[in-house]
């Protein structure tokens, strides 16, 4: 069965430090992966998706099929990056269902 | 105005009561979803609908029912609420041509 694992509930870093939020997945089909972010008092929203291969707000994520990972990275954390981050896997073909990881709370200290 | 609107935003109720959470959208999306969010468990899919005549169960549909009254409206009902249904509930929409979800602001439900 499909699964998304985010091993860290909380990641605390200092401003300017590199950030890596880990995400591993299990899926027998061709994976499509996303990172969603929820800032304080805001809605859950898409941060980036692997097929776009783009950098959003300085974040990047590369799909590694060999390691079944989709880690989110940023070289220099900013305080405004503090938020809850969810990794998600699209499954079910045309049904467009997402399975979410348990989330990682990123806290960037000044 | 928000694209995906959920009402109520907060609700406290008692065990055994019937509760309805409503979701409406102005995005013109055909697909709508209900998720619940619990600390340490992330978001889990309750029900989803591809159009007015299409309703599908998600991972955790027991104890819930839904109604797709129109393309723009998708409501979630708890026929007899129980305390372990205390959670934050999210409605989301997507276009059949895209794989990105647009979320509502959430409805926080507390069952005493």
């Amino acid at each position: 069965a499909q699964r998304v694992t985010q091993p860290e509930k909380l990641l605390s870093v200092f401003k300017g430090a590199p950030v890596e939020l880990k995400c591993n997945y299990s899926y027998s089909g061709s994976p499509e992966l996303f990172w969603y972010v929820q800032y304080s008092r805001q809605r859950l929203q898409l941060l980036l998706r692997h097929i776009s291969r783009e950098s959003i707000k300085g974040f990047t994520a590369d799909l590694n099929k060999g390691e079944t990972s989709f880690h989110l990275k940023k070289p220099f954390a900013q305080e405004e990056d503090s938020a809850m981050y969810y990794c998600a896997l699209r499954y079910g073909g045309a049904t467009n269902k997402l399975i979410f990881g348990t989330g990682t709370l990123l806290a960037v200290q000044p | 105005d928000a694209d995906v609107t959920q009402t109520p935003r907060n609700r406290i109720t008692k065990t055994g009561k019937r509760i309805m959470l409503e979701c409406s959208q102005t995005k013109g999306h055909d697909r709508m979803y209900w998720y619940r969010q619990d600390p340490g468990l992330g978001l889990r899919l309750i029900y989803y609908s591809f159009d007015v005549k299409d309703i599908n169960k998600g991972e955790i549909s027991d104890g819930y029912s839904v109604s797709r009254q129109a393309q723009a409206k998708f409501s979630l009902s708890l026929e007899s609420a129980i305390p372990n249904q205390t959670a934050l509930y999210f409605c989301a929409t997507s276009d059949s041509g895209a794989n990105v979800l647009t979320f509502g602001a959430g409805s926080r439900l507390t069952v005493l």
Side-chain angles (χ1 to χ4, degrees), chain A residues 20 23-26 31 33 35 50 53 61-73:
Chain A
E20 182 178 53
C23 172
N24 288 90
Y25 68 91
S26 174
L33 286 141
W35 278 99
H50 90 268
R53 301 185 66 81
D62 292 318
L63 177 61
N64 185 324
K65 292 186 178 181
E67 296 182 357
T68 60
S69 68
F70 188 57
H71 303 327
L72 183 68
K73 299 178 182 179

Side-chain angles (χ1 to χ4, degrees), chain B residues 65-82:
Chain B
S65 62
V66 292
S67 174
R68 186 82 182 265
Q69 302 95 321
Q71 189 202 31
K73 295 184 183 296
F74 191 39
S75 59
L76 176 72
S77 294
L78 289 68
E79 296 302 324
S80 179
I82 56 177

Side-chain angles (χ1 to χ4, degrees), chain A residues 11-25:
Chain A
L11 182 63
S12 182
V13 301
F14 287 103
K15 178 182 175 181
V19 171
E20 182 178 53
L21 299 172
K22 297 188 186 301
C23 172
N24 288 90
Y25 68 91

Side-chain angles (χ1 to χ4, degrees), chain A residues 94-95, chain B residues 25 28-33 47-56 66-75 92-96:
Chain A
T95 60
Chain B
Q25 52 120 343
H29 288 169
D30 49 359
R31 299 182 177 191
M32 299 187 74
Y33 308 79
Y47 270 95
Y48 61 101
S49 168
F50 286 169
D51 63 37
V52 173
K53 297 181 181 180
D54 180 83
I55 301 291
N56 302 279
V66 292
S67 174
R68 186 82 182 265
Q69 302 95 321
Q71 189 202 31
K73 295 184 183 296
F74 191 39
S75 59
T93 72
S94 73
D95 188 289
S96 58

Side-chain angles (χ1 to χ4, degrees), chain A residues 54-97:
Chain A
E54 57 193 345
S55 174
I56 303 293
K57 298 184 178 182
F59 285 96
T60 59
D62 292 318
L63 177 61
N64 185 324
K65 292 186 178 181
E67 296 182 357
T68 60
S69 68
F70 188 57
H71 303 327
L72 183 68
K73 299 178 182 179
K74 185 170 182 176
F76 307 104
Q78 302 298 313
E79 289 181 67
E80 55 265 30
D81 295 328
S82 295
M84 179 69 82
Y85 291 81
Y86 290 97
C87 183
L89 166 72
R90 176 177 172 267
Y91 71 102
T95 60
N96 194 29
K97 294 185 288 187

Side-chain angles (χ1 to χ4, degrees), chain A residues 32-56:
Chain A
E32 186 173 353
L33 286 141
F34 305 78
W35 278 99
Y36 279 80
V37 61
Q38 189 173 27
Y39 300 103
S40 179
R41 295 188 175 84
Q42 294 188 29
R43 299 168 183 232
L44 194 62
Q45 59 187 285
L46 178 70
L47 179 63
L48 53 79
R49 51 195 301 193
H50 90 268
I51 62 172
S52 300
R53 301 185 66 81
E54 57 193 345
S55 174
I56 303 293

